[in-house]
Amino acid sequence: MAADNASSVTEFILAGLTDEPELQMPLFFLFLGFYMVTVVGNLGLITLIGLNSHLHIPMYFFLFNLSFIDFSFSTAIIPKMLMSFVSKKNIISYAGCMTQLFFFCFFVFSESYILSAMAYDRYVAICKPLLYMVTVSSQVCLLLLLGVYGMGVLGAVAHTGNILFLTFRSDNLVNHYMCDILPLLELSCNSSYINVLIVFIVVTIGIGVPIVAIFISYGFIISSIFHISSTEGRSKAFSTCSSHIIAVSLFFGSGAFMYLKPPSILPLDQGKVSSLFYTIVVPMFNPLIYSLRNKDVKVALRKTVGRITFS
C-alpha cells in the first residue's frame, strides 16, 4: 500500500542551492565552470592513462577508475542542479528522482571503496615492494574493482529501496539541489526511526569500513616509512602517498560531516553547503591533485602534447 501511495507522487520540485534572485546567474556560471573543469580534468586523466603504456600499472588502473567515477558522479548531479539557476521551477519526475538517488549513492559508495583499494595498493608498494607485481596482480586488481562496484550497487539498492517504500506529502518541494536521502526523508509522511536507522547503518558501512581499511593501511605504511634509514627514501615514500591522503581527507571529511551528525546539529540548509564538497569540489580537485603532484602524469602529459604537436 505504501509503495502505491508513493508512486502517486509523480514529480518533485528541487529547491536548489539558494532562492536569492541576484545570485542565480553568478552561481550558474560558477558551477558551470566547475563542471567544465571536472569533465576536462577527469576525461583528460582517463585519456592520459589509456594512451601511455608506462602508466598501465595497478596504481593508475585505480586512478583511471577514480576519474571515471568522479566524472560520472558530477554528471549525475551538476546538469540538473544548473537547471535550478535558470528556471522558475526545477521539476524532476518521481522516476528521475529515484534514478538520480540510485546513481548518487552508487558513485558515493564506489568512490569510498576505490579510495580504500588505492590505500591497499600504496601499502603493498611501500611495505612489500619486492612482492608488488605478484600481490597486486591484474587478477587481484579486477577482483578489487568488482568489490568496489559491487559495494556501490549494494549501497545504492539499500538506500533507494529504503526511500521507495515511503509516502510523500502533496507539498513535493525537496529542500536540496538534488534528490538526496535526508531531504527525501524530511519530505516523507511516514518515515520512521527504522528508516533513519537504515540510512545510518548503510552510511556507516559505506564510509566506516573504507576508513578503517585506509587507517590500517596507513598505519603499516607509516611504520614502514619510519624504518627507512635515508631521508630521501622517507621523503619519496611520503610524496607517493600525499595525493591520496589529500583526496581521502576531502571526500570522507565532507561526507562524514554531512551524514554522521544528527539533523538537529546540522540543519539541511547547512547540509546543502557541506554536500557541495563531495558532490562537486572533490570530483573537480581529484584530477588536479593527482596530476599536479605526480611526476609520471606530468611526463605522460608532456609526451602526449608533444605527439599531438609533432603530428
Side-chain angles (χ1 to χ4, degrees):
M1 180 69 179
D4 293 336
N5 289 338
S7 63
S8 66
V9 177
T10 58
E11 63 184 29
F12 295 102
I13 300 170
L14 298 176
L17 194 59
T18 178
D19 55 2
E20 297 292 334
E22 65 274 11
L23 293 177
Q24 301 300 317
M25 290 314 294
L27 286 174
F28 172 81
F29 286 110
L30 176 66
F31 288 108
L32 178 62
F34 284 171
Y35 183 57
M36 291 172 68
V37 172
T38 303
V39 169
V40 172
N42 284 292
L43 290 185
L45 202 51
I46 287 169
T47 305
L48 278 180
I49 294 170
L51 291 178
N52 290 273
S53 57
H54 74 280
L55 297 182
H56 294 174
I57 58 175
M59 175 183 174
Y60 295 103
F61 171 78
F62 293 123
L63 184 54
F64 180 98
N65 281 277
L66 177 64
S67 291
F68 168 73
I69 291 167
D70 282 337
F71 165 72
S72 304
F73 188 16
S74 59
T75 300
I77 304 298
I78 299 180
K80 190 62 183 171
M81 176 191 182
L82 292 174
M83 291 295 295
S84 66
F85 298 124
V86 294
S87 59
K88 289 184 179 179
K89 280 188 178 180
N90 190 13
I91 296 172
I92 186 169
S93 68
Y94 179 86
C97 186
M98 294 303 110
T99 302
Q100 188 187 56
L101 175 66
F102 178 88
F103 282 108
F104 164 68
C105 295
F106 171 74
F107 290 122
V108 167
F109 270 68
S110 296
E111 180 137 354
S112 299
Y113 281 89
I114 198 77
L115 287 171
S116 64
M118 293 170 80
Y120 172 73
D121 173 72
R122 292 299 83 208
Y123 154 72
V124 177
I126 292 171
C127 300
K128 300 180 179 179
L130 298 178
L131 299 173
Y132 180 71
M133 295 311 294
V134 177
T135 308
V136 194
S137 63
S138 56
Q139 291 90 343
V140 171
C141 288
L142 288 173
L143 284 173
L144 286 171
L145 195 64
L146 185 65
V148 166
Y149 291 123
M151 290 305 296
V153 170
L154 287 175
V157 168
H159 277 311
T160 310
N162 188 28
I163 298 297
L164 277 171
F165 287 95
L166 296 176
T167 59
F168 295 96
R169 297 193 295 266
S170 56
D171 175 20
N172 57 350
L173 180 67
V174 179
N175 185 22
H176 213 293
Y177 56 82
M178 63 178 179
C179 289
D180 197 359
I181 303 156
L182 298 183
L184 288 171
L185 283 175
E186 186 186 60
L187 191 63
S188 166
C189 303
N190 64 333
S191 62
S192 65
Y193 171 75
I194 299 298
N195 298 107
V196 176
L197 183 64
I198 289 170
V199 171
F200 186 80
I201 291 170
V202 176
V203 169
T204 301
I205 293 169
I207 293 180
V209 172
I211 283 180
V212 169
I214 289 166
F215 268 104
I216 291 172
S217 296
Y218 275 103
F220 286 115
I221 287 170
I222 290 168
S223 175
S224 181
I225 287 173
F226 283 133
H227 285 90
I228 298 173
S229 55
S230 69
T231 307
E232 185 182 350
R234 287 184 184 181
S235 177
K236 186 177 179 181
F238 272 120
S239 66
T240 303
C241 301
S242 59
S243 297
H244 184 255
I245 291 169
I246 295 169
V248 165
S249 302
L250 280 173
F251 181 76
F252 285 111
S254 56
F257 186 74
M258 175 68 182
Y259 286 102
L260 297 182
K261 281 190 174 185
S264 57
I265 296 176
L266 184 67
L268 273 177
D269 285 339
Q270 292 180 32
K272 282 194 282 187
V273 177
S274 173
S275 65
L276 286 174
F277 280 92
Y278 64 89
T279 57
I280 295 172
V281 175
V282 171
M284 179 180 69
F285 272 114
N286 275 348
L288 298 175
I289 292 167
Y290 281 100
S291 57
L292 295 176
R293 300 181 61 87
N294 191 301
K295 290 179 181 178
D296 291 335
V297 173
K298 289 178 183 177
V299 169
L301 179 60
R302 281 195 293 268
K303 283 183 178 179
T304 304
V305 171
R307 284 200 295 265
I308 294 170
T309 306
F310 182 75
S311 300

